[in-house]
Amino acid sequence: MENNRGVWVYMEQKEGRIVNVSLELLGAGRKLADKLDVPLSGVLLGDKVKHLCPTVFEYGADQVYVMDDPILKNYRTESFMKGVNDFAEKYQPEIFLFGATPNGKDLASAVATDLCTGLTADTTMLDVEVETRLLEASRPAFGGNIMATILCKKHRPQMATVRPKVMKALQPEMGRKGEIIEESLDVNEDSLRTKVLEIVKDTKKKLKLDEADIIVAGGKGLGDEKGFTLIHELAEVLGGSVGASRDVVEAGWVGHDHQIGQTGITVTPKIYFAIGISGAVQHVVGMKNSELIIAINKDPNAPIFDASTYSVVGDALEILPILIEEFKTALKQEDGELKHA
């Protein structure tokens, strides 16, 4: 383990573009690398992807390990695992971070198994103990009731997958340079058990909560499904999206694609309304990085108020109709002023 040095971030790319969570992880990785006084490196695999290296440098990396091969055009566990493992065995990183995307989680678990090391899944907080050089990977546990910090004391690299939107990317430093380290992939197509026959894109319009600027989220404090219709109404007035706590989803008031939290979606809107939501850790971890949080709850001691920017103590069923009418009036006035301007 003494030979393992450096913080690595797997740079997941899709159709020649780096996915956002990888850029977010460079921001988190930069802090860890600076604490440990080691380089921050990106690991980039794909077909014709070398042109993405400048972006990786601009977002904080000192080095980029590149494997560019036609076999890596489409993601397959076997080929990508072989490439990443070859890099890890040769250059021996100390910490290795992956985005908790479907491909990122698949690859990280395969790599960790092959390297005989540990992996903390769906991490929401990262830190490092400088003296012991141990990665402190934290995530909600026991249904979101506590935060557990997991250590990998005896094996390297220390690995974690991190949920999108919980870390913040650095402001890109245009023109930033670094070192590119290229290796060849020692795999031929005939040796791979999986073949990509066709890629079918899903053309269905999906709810994209993680891209919304305004989210109106409701919890069991709204009483029943009828009470929850006020959430839909306020979201419609504001041009926002509807979010929900786990309890609401489990009650069947809305679908799982509206659920925000550890077992749902992580969001970072400009404005987040938490209405009738108590504020369990499991939910808060999914929305705590919102720019402005407005919480409404009749319990003055509700944990959600610890995370909110503005807190309103009162019955949501009484407050929401007033809010809806006030917003309607204000928006009509604003629209009228614009028309006469």
Side-chain angles (χ1 to χ4, degrees), residues 106-133:
D106 177 72
L107 180 59
S109 59
V111 169
T113 300
D114 203 65
L115 296 178
C116 298
T117 190
L119 172 67
T120 304
D122 281 328
T123 304
T124 57
M125 293 173 60
L126 294 171
D127 204 349
V128 67
E129 172 54 54
V130 177
E131 290 185 7
T132 61
R133 306 187 74 85

Side-chain angles (χ1 to χ4, degrees), residues 39-76:
L40 171 65
S41 304
V43 179
L44 182 62
L45 282 76
D47 180 30
K48 299 180 177 64
V49 293
K50 192 175 176 181
H51 69 283
L52 297 173
C53 290
T55 300
V56 183
F57 293 134
E58 288 169 1
Y59 277 86
D62 302 304
Q63 301 171 324
V64 182
Y65 292 94
V66 180
M67 202 168 278
D68 207 316
D69 193 293
I71 292 178
L72 299 169
K73 181 177 181 179
N74 297 306
Y75 176 78
R76 285 177 284 180

Side-chain angles (χ1 to χ4, degrees), residues 76-150:
R76 285 177 284 180
T77 308
E78 289 175 278
S79 53
F80 275 68
M81 181 185 72
K82 180 66 167 64
V84 171
N85 284 349
D86 284 352
F87 274 136
E89 289 172 354
K90 183 172 182 178
Y91 296 101
Q92 299 185 315
E94 192 169 5
I95 293 170
F96 204 166
L97 307 176
F98 293 73
T101 63
N103 287 351
K105 290 190 282 189
D106 177 72
L107 180 59
S109 59
V111 169
T113 300
D114 203 65
L115 296 178
C116 298
T117 190
L119 172 67
T120 304
D122 281 328
T123 304
T124 57
M125 293 173 60
L126 294 171
D127 204 349
V128 67
E129 172 54 54
V130 177
E131 290 185 7
T132 61
R133 306 187 74 85
L134 286 174
L135 175 67
E136 298 174 340
S138 302
R139 53 158 295 161
F142 294 101
N145 293 316
I146 64 169
M147 289 293 291
T149 298
I150 300 168

Side-chain angles (χ1 to χ4, degrees), residues 164 206 337:
K206 290 187 175 181
E337 290 172 1

Side-chain angles (χ1 to χ4, degrees), residues 28-331:
R30 183 72 268 167
K31 294 176 183 177
L32 300 178
D34 289 346
K35 279 189 173 184
L36 293 172
D37 194 24
V38 295
L40 171 65
S41 304
V43 179
L44 182 62
L45 282 76
D47 180 30
K48 299 180 177 64
V49 293
K50 192 175 176 181
H51 69 283
L52 297 173
C53 290
T55 300
V56 183
F57 293 134
E58 288 169 1
Y59 277 86
D62 302 304
Q63 301 171 324
V64 182
Y65 292 94
V66 180
M67 202 168 278
D68 207 316
D69 193 293
I71 292 178
L72 299 169
K73 181 177 181 179
N74 297 306
Y75 176 78
R76 285 177 284 180
T77 308
E78 289 175 278
S79 53
F80 275 68
M81 181 185 72
K82 180 66 167 64
V84 171
N85 284 349
D86 284 352
F87 274 136
E89 289 172 354
K90 183 172 182 178
Y91 296 101
Q92 299 185 315
E94 192 169 5
I95 293 170
F96 204 166
L97 307 176
F98 293 73
T101 63
N103 287 351
K105 290 190 282 189
D106 177 72
L107 180 59
S109 59
V111 169
T113 300
D114 203 65
L115 296 178
C116 298
T117 190
L119 172 67
T120 304
D122 281 328
T123 304
T124 57
M125 293 173 60
L126 294 171
D127 204 349
V128 67
E129 172 54 54
V130 177
E131 290 185 7
T132 61
R133 306 187 74 85
L134 286 174
L135 175 67
E136 298 174 340
S138 302
R139 53 158 295 161
F142 294 101
N145 293 316
I146 64 169
M147 289 293 291
T149 298
I150 300 168
L151 308 177
C152 181
K153 295 183 177 181
K154 297 182 179 180
H155 302 277
R156 295 292 180 272
Q158 302 167 88
M159 293 179 59
T161 61
V162 182
R163 295 193 66 175
K165 297 286 186 179
V166 299
M167 305 294 172
K168 289 190 177 181
L170 298 174
Q171 191 68 27
E173 183 182 334
M174 306 308 292
R176 191 173 187 274
K177 305 293 184 182
E179 178 187 10
I180 297 175
I181 302 164
E182 291 187 79
E183 295 285 351
S184 299
L185 179 65
D186 185 21
V187 171
N188 60 68
E189 188 65 45
D190 293 337
S191 69
L192 297 174
R193 291 171 292 181
T194 55
K195 312 293 179 185
V196 179
L197 301 179
E198 183 183 7
I199 295 177
V200 180
K201 293 186 177 181
D202 188 354
T203 57
K204 293 179 184 177
K205 187 176 181 181
K206 290 187 175 181
L207 175 73
K208 293 189 176 180
L209 269 178
D210 57 350
E211 297 178 6
D213 285 333
I214 299 174
I215 294 176
V216 182
K220 287 298 288 292
L222 289 157
D224 52 27
E225 192 169 356
K226 183 179 178 182
F228 197 83
T229 59
L230 291 169
I231 297 294
H232 290 278
E233 192 173 345
L234 179 57
E236 185 177 352
V237 169
L238 296 175
S241 296
V242 172
S245 65
R246 184 177 64 180
D247 288 343
V248 164
V249 172
E250 290 178 348
W253 300 355
V254 288
H256 185 268
D257 53 352
H258 292 270
Q259 184 175 329
I260 294 168
Q262 177 65 21
T263 53
I265 300 167
T266 300
V267 298
T268 55
K270 292 180 179 177
I271 303 175
Y272 187 89
F273 288 86
I275 302 172
I277 295 173
S278 63
V281 173
Q282 188 274 344
H283 183 82
V284 171
V285 76
M287 44 65 77
K288 65 180 181 180
N289 289 327
S290 303
E291 291 184 25
L292 182 72
I293 299 171
I294 301 168
I296 301 174
N297 201 293
K298 61 184 178 182
D299 178 5
N301 299 313
I304 193 66
F305 291 143
D306 294 332
S308 62
T309 313
Y310 297 105
S311 305
V312 181
V313 178
D315 189 338
L317 295 176
E318 296 177 2
I319 295 171
L320 274 177
I322 299 171
L323 270 183
I324 290 166
E325 290 306 314
E326 289 294 327
F327 276 122
K328 283 181 178 179
T329 301
L331 289 169

